[in-house]
Amino acid sequence: MRVTIRDVAAQSGVSPNTVSRVLNGKQDVSDATRARVQAVIDELGFRPNGLARSLLRRQSRTIGHVVTDCTNPNTAQQIRVIQDVATREGYSVVLFDTNERADRQTASLHLLEEQVVDGVILTPARSQDDGLTHFIARGNRLVLINRDVDGLDVDRVTIDNRAGAYAAISHLLDLGHRRIAFVAGRRDISTAWDRLAGYEAALHDRGVPPDQHLVYHGEIEPEAAAEATRLLLERQGRPTAIFTYNDLMAVGALVAIQAAGLRVPEDVSLVGHDDILYAPYLQVPLTTVAQPTRELGEAAARLLIERLRGDDGPPRRIVLQPRLVVRASTAAPSPQEAAR
């Protein structure tokens, strides 16, 4: 049987209200009474009902963290960083994974609101509102991380996705590539559109007309990238280089390139995005756009905690800068490939 506050009160010879005042550190309790109550608490192994106290105080010292794919190595690293920061500041973290689904996002936020978490760090499943405006209007603290949702009056921490894609395509152009494909991910997330904008801007600035037949939108998973790559390689005038939405999709593209009897980078150069932990250790070490994963997580956690401690300033937008990491998966196109 769970020990209750009434059990402690009965054995201590005081009222439940006095036990509550001892638990909450109130000063209007004599030292003798405090010592007697504490001794009974220790003897019975009593632990306060955290949920009840949270409902009473409207503060749980708990943060919700909602991600879209916890199997992505960068997401896993971000989860750890946010938990580390929260723990140091006296908060615990409740994690939900939406698997890129808007309905799961809605359900996760509903459950977190019911649990009276103090605030939420969210990677949106889509760039649409999906009820987030109402969630904020009900007094819930929210920080967006990685992706954006237009029109929300809320804090956000992202990277300059346009700049990262621009750097990747500029690198390929500098090597001499002109037929550069982009396996771009889903159409309904902000990062895909920002990276597409960077891709197109880099081509435009170098006088290379963008070819929409070289841009593929689809699910953010290696299998989808492998299929998109297979279709790209079957085209007449196939691409000499491919840029993928993230590194996991680059792995799918690499498998498809090799299945077609081609080599990276001799026949097709390949660039990913994120710089996941094993990007340098692939069969062909991957050139990629590194995003500051730890800094993203730290900034989001600290920003939310500052809000919870009373910072009521206007919404903040923190934009961190990515950087291109060049490895063995990119090279100049062969004369044969360039002439196709």
Side-chain angles (χ1 to χ4, degrees):
M1 295 289 290
R2 180 183 176 91
V3 178
T4 70
I5 197 170
R6 292 185 180 278
D7 297 326
V8 175
Q11 187 157 328
S12 304
V14 299
S15 70
N17 184 56
T18 299
V19 177
S20 178
R21 301 187 75 77
V22 170
L23 290 170
N24 289 303
K26 301 297 183 181
Q27 299 303 309
D28 56 348
V29 180
S30 70
D31 291 343
T33 299
R34 187 184 307 278
R36 187 168 73 254
V37 170
Q38 188 61 55
V40 173
I41 288 173
D42 295 341
E43 178 186 345
L44 298 180
F46 172 71
R47 298 191 64 176
N49 187 319
L51 178 58
R53 298 177 78 182
S54 298
L55 291 170
L56 183 63
R57 298 179 178 182
R58 195 64 188 177
Q59 185 181 53
S60 64
R61 305 292 295 180
T62 303
I63 291 171
H65 185 195
V66 183
V67 303
T68 55
D69 180 11
C70 65
T71 65
N72 184 301
N74 271 25
T75 301
Q77 187 178 14
Q78 206 165 82
I79 291 169
R80 175 177 291 180
V81 169
I82 288 173
Q83 182 166 325
D84 286 346
V85 173
T87 300
R88 286 198 301 268
E89 299 297 333
Y91 289 84
S92 57
V93 179
V94 179
L95 178 68
F96 283 87
D97 186 337
T98 65
N99 194 25
E100 297 284 359
R101 287 173 47 179
D103 61 334
R104 288 192 180 182
Q105 174 180 298
T106 300
S108 298
L109 292 175
H110 179 70
L111 288 171
L112 288 169
E113 192 170 12
E114 283 188 338
Q115 293 178 27
V116 201
V117 297
D118 296 344
V120 175
I121 298 171
L122 168 71
T123 298
R126 304 191 305 172
S127 59
Q128 284 86 346
D129 186 298
D130 289 325
L132 295 177
T133 298
H134 297 299
F135 181 77
I136 297 163
R138 291 193 295 272
N140 295 295
R141 284 289 190 185
L142 181 66
V143 174
L144 300 183
I145 186 171
N146 299 321
R147 300 176 184 173
D148 208 349
V149 176
D150 290 336
L152 290 185
D153 191 29
V154 69
D155 296 313
R156 59 204 76 203
V157 182
T158 61
I159 67 166
D160 190 338
N161 286 283
R162 187 180 187 278
Y166 190 99
I169 303 309
S170 295
H171 167 65
L172 293 170
L173 290 166
D174 288 343
L175 290 172
H177 295 277
R178 293 298 179 267
R179 298 194 307 279
I180 303 171
F182 180 26
V183 180
R186 296 205 327 268
R187 296 177 183 272
D188 59 353
I189 54 176
S190 64
T191 41
W193 285 109
D194 290 342
R195 291 171 195 175
L196 178 61
Y199 164 86
E200 292 177 339
L203 294 175
H204 179 270
D205 289 350
R206 299 290 282 272
V208 178
D211 182 351
Q212 292 307 309
H213 293 100
L214 294 179
V215 177
Y216 274 73
H217 290 278
E219 294 301 316
I220 305 172
E221 54 189 27
E223 295 82 1
E227 177 62 14
T229 300
R230 183 186 68 79
L231 294 172
L232 284 164
L233 296 178
E234 289 177 352
R235 294 186 72 246
Q236 185 175 8
R238 69 189 181 208
T240 62
I242 297 174
F243 173 48
T244 62
Y245 173 83
N246 67 19
D247 289 347
L248 293 180
M249 295 176 74
V251 172
L254 176 61
V255 170
I257 291 167
Q258 293 175 335
L262 301 173
R263 299 165 299 165
V264 173
E266 291 84 355
D267 301 311
V268 182
S269 284
L270 183 62
V271 181
H273 194 291
D274 290 357
D275 197 23
I276 58 177
L277 292 174
Y278 53 79
Y281 307 108
L282 297 176
Q283 181 181 3
V284 182
L286 184 64
T287 295
T288 184
V289 178
Q291 63 178 23
T293 301
R294 291 190 58 85
E295 291 83 351
L296 280 165
E298 288 178 0
R302 294 192 183 283
L303 179 52
L304 178 57
I305 291 169
E306 287 172 11
R307 296 302 194 192
L308 299 179
R309 290 176 174 171
D311 182 352
D312 289 325
R316 294 172 58 189
R317 178 188 291 269
I318 299 174
V319 181
L320 303 179
Q321 293 302 312
R323 61 185 177 86
L324 182 69
V325 179
V326 178
R327 298 193 180 99
S329 67
T330 51
S334 66
Q336 296 84 354
E337 290 298 327
R340 280 182 178 273

